[in-house]
Amino acid sequence: MTETLFQFFLISQVRQLANDGILGKSIKLTKGQAQWLKENSRFKPTTTNKIITCVNHILKFCKVQKIFNANDCISRLELRNVSGIEMFLKGHIKTFSEDMKRKRTQKELHFIAKKIHEREEKVSENLIIALKELLGNENVITDLNERRYFSQDVFDEGKIVTAIIQPKNLEQLRKAISIITNTGIAIYPRGGGYSYTNSYLSVTDYGISLDLRKLDDIIEINTKDMYVTVEPGCTWEKLDKELKKYSVRCEFWGPLSGYKSTVGGGISQGSASLGSAKDGISAESVLNLDIITSNGEIFSTGSSAQKNKSPFFRNYGPDLTGIFCGDCGALGIKARITLRLQNRATMTQGLSFGFETFDDLLNAMSKISSTNRVTECFGFTNRAMESVMASQGLWNDIKLMFAVGMSSSGIFGGLIQASKMAFYGRRFLKDASYFAHCVVEGYNKYEIKGNIRTIRKSIKGLGIDLPNTMPTVMRSAPFAPYPVVGVNGTRMLPFHGIIPFSKAVEFHNELEKLLTKYKKDMSSVGMIVPAMFNTISTNGFLYEPVLYWPDKPNEFHEIHTNETILSLMRKNSENHAGRKLAKILFKEIVSLMHKKNSVHLQIGKVYPYMTDRSSINIDMIKSIKNKVDPNNLINPGTLGL
Ligand SMILES: Cc1cc2nc3c(=O)[nH]c(=O)nc-3n(C[C@H](O)[C@H](O)[C@H](O)COP(=O)(O)OP(=O)(O)OC[C@H]3O[C@@H](n4cnc5c(N)ncnc54)[C@H](O)[C@@H]3O)c2cc1C
């Protein structure tokens, strides 16, 4: 058996058992594994037995040492290669039965733990020195407050990372990745840090946060072949501003967090918003990727994979680009991203409608999306509308009125809209329970009018017309600094499911029932649950409940929130019960979503991706992971890997 196969098989056994929560018990081969070994003539039964013996010894040892996590097992016992495994077995097999008979005392266990800790500390100290040499002191951060901040996302926190590195070019990035993984320490890639699914949070005792924001160059804007290539740390706002100069735009052109969030983050975890009603999610605009594996090698997908590189086209044979979109960084580090361009429309017009019932809202959004005439189509419950409007501070900002005037269909049309906005204010919130807002684009007023006519016709008899304040303002400042907390000083947990239109009403009704069941618990922690909706191209309905509850801010919130909201938040006491309830509701609601065929973007470490895949699907993902990151050192735990 070759070294890699032996190691792979052994380690995957350990990992599988850890995933199943039974590290510490002995193993039996499954029928499939036995068959696999039998069919492969190179593996004699003695070898198979040897593997089982090895794995069993390792697992028993883990039990004695109270190691219940595969990564800890592999790094603590130094099982990263065959010689490591042999060393371990030499040292332990003979004495093992003795060990089992004589359970170690607490003192002995503490001593062993201390030794392991000291060795790991030494490795990480040496690693920091090497990284400082490579990147310069200023690009390797070890300050505790910073490490704490980088160990938190919008909702949760992970283990505190050992250091944060900020490479400034591709060579530094490649070398840093290879140096870190050689020590057996995990890397957690991070873009703007604006996600809430533990996606870049550490799950290992030692871990390096890879902050990619200094790699933010726009490498090439090609208006002939209609693509743009960027480094991963470029924000969507920066990219869009630059593309505007060339009168072009990306198809999916950013999440609403795009003033901070990055192209690398959006493509890695999957985003929906600007452009999604017409062109789908972030992944659908990607042409080519350059990806760095855990040993620092770089490879390209799509037409860039050829010897004569040009990143202009995605498909040539099986679509490799797609596999790495939505991986949440588990399948390597994206170093360059090429996105498709389209001409920028010269005119936009917002449309707003109000509805009494969710059924009517859904029906209308479904009909609008199937016309494929709108670039964005958002829906809101009444309460969600209030918070979005408040978060933009819309009503006091006279400058915004002028911005609106300039960005919509001509200055005159814009001024009419601006005055309508001023006249209606927020009174229309009383007129309906649900709202839909769309944006229509075109190159002249006839095209815009034609599109609007088609849309109105498609939803005839549904809902009422409202002033188009909301889509107009959203379009005039698409990357407004939306807060990472509720405007009244609450913490928030947004989450979503993309559900087929045909199942969305059933889901909505069951969600209402569930929320009624939890009404008392929610009111005891002060929680409310407004919801937002998005159409994704013609065939997906994104349902996004957002949980808000009063709570204290953490370091992450302190950095990303303005003083007015922070002063409200600081008055709250720690609301552990609120956070606990948020996790319970997340689980229950996601499980309801799954019953209605839901899928998710932004899987991170929280959506149950692996639990409802078929085994062949899981094997395929795992074998790709094994190819690009055999020791699971790039964002371990993500996607359930
Ligand atoms: C106020 C607010 C508004 C939001 N609006 C939207 C919205 O409209 N639509 C939407 O879909 N989401 C939205 N989000 C969620 C989130 O901001 C976006 O999905 C965004 O794309 C995250 O990008 P980021 O750069 O912050 O990524 P991060 O949070 O830093 O990372 C996300 C994931 O990508 C991985 N990653 C990052 N860069 C790389 C890389 N170069 N290589 C490999 N892996 C990498 C990370 O490991 C992590 O798993 C919003 C969040 C907030 C707080």
Side-chain angles (χ1 to χ4, degrees):
M1 189 186 289
T2 64
E3 178 160 309
T4 9
L5 266 177
F6 178 88
Q7 183 200 359
F8 171 59
F9 185 76
L10 198 142
I11 289 175
S12 66
Q13 285 292 341
V14 176
R15 225 167 239 137
Q16 183 56 47
L17 289 158
N19 283 344
D20 296 346
I22 53 171
L23 204 61
K25 293 185 185 165
S26 59
I27 64 155
K28 271 190 187 147
L29 288 185
T30 63
K31 265 190 192 162
Q33 287 163 339
Q35 185 70 12
W36 179 74
L37 286 167
K38 206 172 142 198
E39 276 169 10
N40 195 323
S41 57
R42 281 182 303 151
F43 304 121
K44 298 189 195 90
T46 48
T47 325
T48 316
N49 289 339
K50 192 175 152 196
I51 295 169
I52 298 174
T53 315
C54 292
V55 176
N56 279 335
H57 275 297
I58 289 167
L59 297 177
K60 279 183 195 160
F61 186 76
C62 287
K63 188 179 178 185
V64 175
Q65 297 289 350
K66 297 192 185 322
I67 300 172
F68 297 114
N69 162 307
N71 282 322
D72 285 353
C73 164
I74 289 158
S75 72
R76 287 189 180 191
L77 308 187
E78 293 184 342
L79 304 179
R80 296 203 186 286
N81 50 44
V82 171
S83 61
I85 293 164
E86 278 172 2
M87 285 279 285
F88 169 81
L89 293 172
K90 255 189 208 161
H92 290 92
I93 286 186
K94 275 188 222 137
T95 58
F96 196 78
S97 38
E98 286 303 305
D99 271 355
M100 288 303 279
K101 271 185 228 150
R102 186 184 68 80
K103 240 186 157 187
R104 286 172 199 252
T105 61
Q106 277 300 320
K107 207 171 154 194
E108 282 172 316
L109 284 174
H110 278 311
F111 179 75
I112 292 168
K114 198 171 150 226
K115 285 280 158 216
I116 291 171
H117 180 70
E118 279 169 6
R119 198 183 59 212
E120 285 173 343
E121 282 284 302
K122 191 80 211 142
V123 171
S124 80
E125 266 170 35
N126 289 340
L127 174 63
I128 303 294
I129 293 168
L131 288 170
K132 282 186 173 167
E133 253 170 47
L134 174 71
L135 306 171
N137 287 353
E138 69 284 10
N139 296 314
V140 181
I141 301 164
T142 51
D143 170 74
L144 182 60
N145 284 335
E146 291 280 342
R147 284 162 51 209
R148 206 172 272 141
Y149 161 70
F150 275 88
S151 307
Q152 297 168 339
D153 66 10
V154 174
F155 170 62
D156 214 345
E157 44 197 82
K159 294 202 173 186
I160 295 186
V161 290
T162 314
I164 301 108
I165 58 163
Q166 300 176 317
K168 291 203 295 203
N169 58 50
L170 187 65
E171 254 335 274
Q172 283 190 348
L173 177 63
R174 261 165 32 83
K175 284 186 182 153
I177 291 170
S178 137
I179 290 174
I180 298 166
T181 54
N182 263 327
T183 63
I185 287 180
I187 300 176
Y188 296 92
R190 186 184 190 274
Y194 258 46
S195 51
Y196 19 73
T197 53
N198 298 38
S199 230
Y200 56 80
L201 299 186
S202 168
V203 293
T204 46
D205 290 342
Y206 292 82
I208 303 291
S209 175
L210 171 59
D211 179 1
L212 289 149
R213 287 173 303 169
K214 287 188 180 168
L215 278 156
D216 71 340
D217 279 352
I218 297 172
I219 298 167
E220 184 188 2
I221 298 175
N222 190 324
T223 52
K224 202 154 203 171
D225 295 334
M226 293 303 270
Y227 65 78
V228 56
T229 302
V230 294
E231 289 188 325
C234 178
T235 64
W236 290 98
E237 183 175 34
K238 173 177 169 179
L239 174 60
D240 194 58
K241 260 192 187 156
E242 197 55 30
L243 293 177
K244 204 172 180 181
K245 295 179 192 162
Y246 298 81
S247 305
V248 289
R249 198 182 64 199
C250 293
E251 293 175 340
F252 168 82
W253 52 291
L256 298 178
S257 54
Y259 72 108
K260 286 276 184 196
S261 70
T262 62
V263 177
I267 302 305
S268 299
Q269 69 163 4
S271 285
S273 269
L274 300 169
S276 289
K278 197 169 208 133
D279 292 308
I281 63 164
S282 52
E284 288 167 86
S285 306
V286 186
L287 294 174
N288 287 193
L289 295 167
D290 284 355
I291 297 168
I292 303 180
T293 65
S294 66
N295 64 8
E297 252 178 83
I298 189 159
F299 69 95
S300 305
T301 66
S303 53
S304 285
Q306 310 196 107
K307 269 192 191 147
N308 284 329
K309 274 175 164 239
S310 165
F312 80 105
F313 210 74
R314 173 157 164 170
N315 293 82
Y316 183 21
D319 176 16
L320 265 190
T321 302
I323 290 173
F324 296 91
C325 297
D327 69 333
C328 295
L331 303 179
I333 309 297
K334 288 165 200 76
R336 284 197 192 116
I337 297 154
T338 301
L339 302 166
R340 187 169 25 234
L341 294 176
Q342 55 183 222
N343 283 343
R344 213 174 177 95
T346 46
M347 286 183 155
T348 61
Q349 177 81 48
L351 288 172
S352 294
F353 306 98
F355 305 90
E356 267 312 298
T357 65
F358 177 78
D359 297 31
D360 283 350
L361 169 85
L362 179 81
N363 208 350
M365 286 180 78
S366 154
K367 285 176 189 298
I368 292 171
S369 85
S370 56
T371 65
N372 210 17
R373 302 289 176 104
V374 294
T375 319
E376 286 97 40
C377 183
F378 296 101
F380 296 88
T381 58
N382 195 305
R383 217 159 195 177
M385 272 289 292
E386 274 179 355
S387 47
V388 174
M389 283 162 61
S391 74
Q392 288 228 7
L394 300 183
W395 314 107
N396 309 323
D397 196 346
I398 196 74
K399 276 183 284 176
L400 198 61
M401 294 290 193
F402 287 105
V404 170
M406 301 310 286
S407 75
S408 57
S409 45
I411 292 178
F412 186 63
L415 288 178
I416 292 176
Q417 284 180 21
S419 53
K420 264 208 279 183
M421 278 167 54
F423 177 72
Y424 281 106
R426 58 172 70 194
R427 280 181 298 151
F428 67 84
L429 276 174
K430 293 198 187 75
D431 297 340
S433 303
Y434 297 91
F435 301 89
H437 306 286
C438 327
V439 176
V440 176
E441 293 186 326
Y443 294 93
N444 56 57
K445 64 180 180 190
Y446 302 107
E447 191 183 350
I448 297 262
K449 273 190 178 162
N451 284 339
I452 291 178
R453 212 176 301 123
T454 308
I455 290 160
R456 287 196 192 287
K457 202 170 153 202
S458 74
I459 59 165
K460 206 166 176 203
L462 290 168
I464 52 167
D465 247 18
L466 291 174
N468 57 3
T469 320
M470 180 84 171
T472 313
V473 171
M474 279 178 100
R475 256 318 180 90
S476 67
F479 300 112
Y482 289 95
V484 298
V485 293
V487 277
N488 47 356
T490 48
R491 282 204 193 185
M492 69 173 189
L493 174 59
F495 55 100
H496 70 276
I498 300 175
I499 303 174
F501 282 105
S502 60
K503 297 278 173 71
V505 169
E506 285 170 34
F507 167 73
H508 176 77
N509 293 339
E510 286 181 27
L511 175 63
E512 296 274 281
K513 272 191 220 149
L514 184 84
L515 294 179
T516 311
K517 187 176 122 192
Y518 277 98
K519 202 170 173 188
K520 248 190 179 168
D521 301 297
M522 283 166 43
S523 86
S524 74
V525 298
M527 187 176 278
I528 56 160
V529 192
M532 298 193 264
F533 318 100
N534 255 347
T535 58
I536 314 280
S537 184
T538 54
N539 59 336
F541 183 74
L542 188 146
Y543 196 122
E544 180 166 347
V546 189
L547 311 178
Y548 290 98
W549 66 99
D551 207 335
K552 271 218 165 332
N554 65 13
E555 283 82 353
F556 185 95
H557 306 128
E558 291 274 354
I559 286 180
H560 293 285
T561 309
N562 69 40
E563 264 311 309
T564 323
I565 301 180
L566 272 180
S567 61
L568 291 172
M569 272 190 109
R570 289 193 194 114
K571 285 184 198 143
N572 297 328
S573 31
E574 293 278 352
N575 191 345
H576 294 291
R579 280 172 238 168
K580 195 171 161 204
L581 182 61
K583 286 188 179 171
I584 293 171
L585 283 176
F586 170 87
K587 264 202 170 154
E588 292 227 12
I589 296 173
V590 167
S591 135
L592 270 189
M593 286 171 168
H594 275 232
K595 287 187 189 140
K596 304 297 167 205
N597 310 122
S598 165
V599 295
H600 308 280
L601 308 170
Q602 309 169 9
I603 296 162
K605 299 184 182 76
V606 299
Y607 286 103
Y609 175 66
M610 284 293 175
T611 55
D612 62 359
R613 310 275 88 200
S614 68
S615 59
I616 188 156
N617 266 261
I618 294 176
D619 288 350
M620 266 191 243
I621 294 286
K622 284 188 174 169
S623 61
I624 296 166
K625 173 75 172 171
N626 185 54
K627 188 77 202 157
V628 292
D629 178 25
N631 294 323
N632 198 9
L633 291 172
I634 299 190
N635 216 352
T638 302
L639 298 187
L641 290 165

